[in-house]
Amino acid sequence: DSGVTQTPKHLITATGQRVTLRCSPRSGDLSVYWYQQSLDQGLQFLIQYYNGEERAKGNILERFSAQQFPDLHSELNLSSLELGDSALYFCASSVHTGVAGSGELFFGEGSRLTVL
Amino acid sequence: GQNIDQPTEMTATEGAIVQINCTYQTSGFNGLFWYQQHAGEAPTFLSYNVLDGLEEKGRFSSFLSRSKGYSYLLLKELQMKDSASYLCAVRDHTGAGSYQLTFGKGTKLSVIP
């Protein structure tokens, strides 16, 4: 158990719909990262927040948005869903932004999204 | 980290040694990580290299050559439970105190009896 909690574990929805994925980081971790993993693309970095502020942006579509709340949990919102959005969405957390020590990421179990 | 290359699949025999290579190209290198990911599960941290050389941790070792943009993960005394994907990841300094960890597509290792 990494200490990172993601909900829901599984989600099935239709094209055009909107979903929200939730992540609670490890106690004490200030950074939250979102990654998308599909079969042919591997782990793709979407976005990072540190203590409530956006710190880095990767290959995140405009239809997707995220935020980190004062209690440090984060939500990833996916809208106007398409078949290609079906993937495993991972949240990870770390203490810092990646400066101190190894800055390893601790991953949640992921949310598997299926768009039909 | 961009252009991270690692073999797609490898097969090795139980009890043997296997080396998984990773090459990368990046402009703001700030460390290389190896993660293990069993099918359908979360990636878990294996090792971290920021300086050239070998880091050993039990049956697993990781090597880094920054000048060559090259790393490898060495797994000794292979066990069936080592069957998993091994992800090479490079951390870049993206400016203003920000860092980004980019993953390769992973190497699926199958350990056979």
Side-chain angles (χ1 to χ4, degrees):
Chain A
D1 182 5
S2 67
V4 178
T5 304
Q6 287 188 249
T7 57
K9 285 187 169 36
H10 300 276
L11 190 56
I12 302 174
T13 189
T15 54
Q17 295 299 304
R18 172 191 169 95
V19 298
T20 297
L21 309 180
R22 182 188 169 100
C23 169
S24 293
R26 288 190 325 157
S27 177
D29 283 359
L30 300 178
S31 270
V32 169
Y33 308 74
W34 287 98
Y35 284 85
Q36 179 193 55
Q37 188 174 41
S38 53
L39 281 174
D40 58 344
Q41 290 298 320
L43 269 172
Q44 296 287 309
F45 170 67
L46 296 178
I47 198 164
Q48 179 208 351
Y49 282 84
Y50 176 75
N51 204 20
E53 294 187 2
E54 183 183 304
R55 269 304 180 101
K57 221 168 187 176
N59 302 321
I60 188 166
L61 300 171
E62 286 191 11
R63 299 184 287 109
F64 296 180
S65 65
Q67 55 183 325
Q68 186 179 29
F69 295 87
D71 66 353
L72 301 178
H73 91 271
S74 178
E75 292 181 357
L76 179 67
N77 301 296
L78 315 175
S79 62
S80 302
L81 286 168
E82 301 175 358
L83 295 178
D85 297 328
S86 295
L88 198 50
Y89 290 85
F90 283 106
C91 170
S93 73
S94 68
V95 175
H96 302 288
T97 60
V99 178
S102 70
E104 67 187 87
L105 300 188
F106 295 87
F107 283 82
E109 295 294 314
S111 293
R112 182 171 295 282
L113 173 66
T114 302
V115 182
L116 300 176
Chain B
Q2 300 176 11
N3 299 325
I4 299 173
D5 290 317
Q6 48 182 133
T8 305
E9 294 184 42
M10 297 183 71
T11 301
T13 305
E14 191 176 14
I17 299 173
V18 70
Q19 178 175 312
I20 303 174
N21 296 324
C22 172
T23 58
Y24 64 90
Q25 292 177 312
T26 184
S27 55
F29 180 82
N30 190 257
L32 187 139
F33 296 75
W34 284 95
Y35 280 78
Q36 180 191 60
Q37 185 178 25
H38 285 98
E41 297 182 9
T44 55
F45 170 78
L46 285 178
S47 69
Y48 164 72
N49 296 71
V50 68
L51 300 176
D52 291 350
L54 189 69
E55 293 285 339
E56 296 186 80
K57 191 187 290 186
R59 294 190 298 114
F60 293 3
S61 303
S62 57
F63 172 83
L64 175 67
S65 169
R66 289 171 296 169
S67 63
K68 295 181 180 177
Y70 167 69
S71 173
Y72 67 73
L73 179 69
L74 194 71
L75 292 77
K76 302 176 185 176
E77 302 170 14
L78 280 173
Q79 302 175 8
M80 299 300 290
K81 68 178 182 179
D82 297 329
S83 292
S85 286
Y86 291 86
L87 313 178
C88 172
V90 175
R91 185 171 65 197
D92 285 302
H93 180 220
T94 57
S98 294
Y99 296 79
Q100 181 170 316
L101 189 64
T102 303
F103 285 82
K105 292 188 177 182
T107 298
K108 183 178 180 182
L109 174 67
S110 298
V111 180
I112 58 177

